[in-house]
Amino acid sequence: EIGVPLDGFSLSSLMSFPSTTEQITALWKRIEPELNTDLNPAAYRSIITAYGRVGDASSASVVFEEMVRVCGNRGRSIECWNVLLGALAYRRDGEDGSEMLDVENAAASQMVKLTTGDSTYVNSDGTSNHKIAASDNFTTDNFISLLHRKTFTEASIVILETMRNGTSIQLGTKLMQPPKPNSQTYCLVATTIANSLK
């Protein structure tokens, strides 16, 4: 204990260590209550990158949606969208490019209440101050529905087309306007496509 309060940058630095989805989620949920402030987009981007690095683009997509809800306009930058595309572009040994996103299951396993923005979580063993009940409005929004059951390549193309067309996406009661793609966006989608052909 050196008396330095944890912040989003502390979390960002620590996200390079976990090597599994479970470790990432455990570290995030362990540190988040101790933060002296809400997570910022940089911290969320590091979590998305960590999930992508271990091949869990589904969880990365769920974190992206939470980031947009919590950070508002600051979480809607081109950098944020490109980090999600980067998570889809990661390819691990033995993957053949036909993996499908299971975003709804990832959300359920993280116990994120997508429709309310509530950041109360239930541990995998079921212990918590709040238990998700059938009466809780646990449904997914348009963004998650766009990606659910798509291959990484299909999801990347859907995201790119959404950005190119400026299609608004429903998040709770608000519409989110995506940024226009930049050159990095196209490179990330091309990487995802190339990885699917290997």
Side-chain angles (χ1 to χ4, degrees):
E1 169 92 27
I2 59 173
V4 177
L6 293 173
D7 60 14
F9 297 104
S10 307
L11 180 63
S12 295
S13 297
L14 293 170
M15 276 297 141
S16 62
F17 296 110
S19 59
T20 67
T21 294
E22 294 77 17
Q23 290 173 347
I24 294 165
T25 304
L27 177 62
W28 175 19
K29 299 310 168 198
R30 164 69 176 88
I31 291 175
E32 190 171 34
E34 297 179 25
L35 295 175
N36 65 347
T37 184
D38 290 334
L39 292 180
N40 58 31
Y44 277 110
R45 289 192 303 263
S46 70
I47 297 167
I48 293 166
T49 299
Y51 280 123
R53 188 182 64 246
V54 300
D56 189 355
S58 297
S59 291
S61 301
V62 172
V63 174
F64 175 84
E65 185 171 14
E66 180 178 328
M67 174 186 61
V68 170
R69 287 176 188 283
V70 172
C71 298
N73 287 334
R74 295 178 310 133
R76 298 176 186 168
S77 69
I78 188 65
E79 293 85 6
C80 296
W81 286 76
N82 283 345
V83 165
L84 177 58
L85 288 168
L88 291 165
Y90 274 99
R91 183 66 56 212
R92 297 179 52 120
D93 292 336
E95 292 179 346
D96 64 4
S98 64
E99 305 85 17
M100 298 186 85
L101 292 172
D102 190 359
V103 184
E104 291 177 0
N105 188 49
S109 60
Q110 287 186 28
M111 294 300 174
V112 177
K113 290 180 68 183
L114 293 173
T115 58
T116 64
D118 182 353
S119 58
T120 303
Y121 301 89
V122 176
N123 298 324
S124 58
D125 65 357
T127 60
S128 174
N129 293 336
H130 175 83
K131 296 204 184 221
I132 306 259
S135 61
D136 289 338
N137 190 13
F138 188 71
T139 60
T140 57
D141 286 319
N142 190 5
F143 180 74
I144 293 295
S145 298
L146 285 174
L147 304 182
H148 187 61
R149 296 283 178 217
K150 301 270 191 297
T151 66
F152 290 12
T153 301
E154 292 168 340
S156 293
I157 292 169
V158 165
I159 292 169
L160 175 61
E161 289 303 311
T162 300
M163 294 171 75
R164 287 181 60 214
N165 296 333
T167 307
S168 294
I169 299 172
Q170 185 77 30
L171 284 171
T173 60
K174 298 180 182 180
L175 287 176
M176 175 180 66
Q177 185 70 37
K180 290 292 182 190
N182 63 13
S183 58
Q184 183 182 17
T185 306
Y186 287 101
C187 289
L188 290 165
V189 173
T191 300
T192 305
I193 293 168
N195 285 339
S196 71
L197 301 174
K198 291 181 181 178

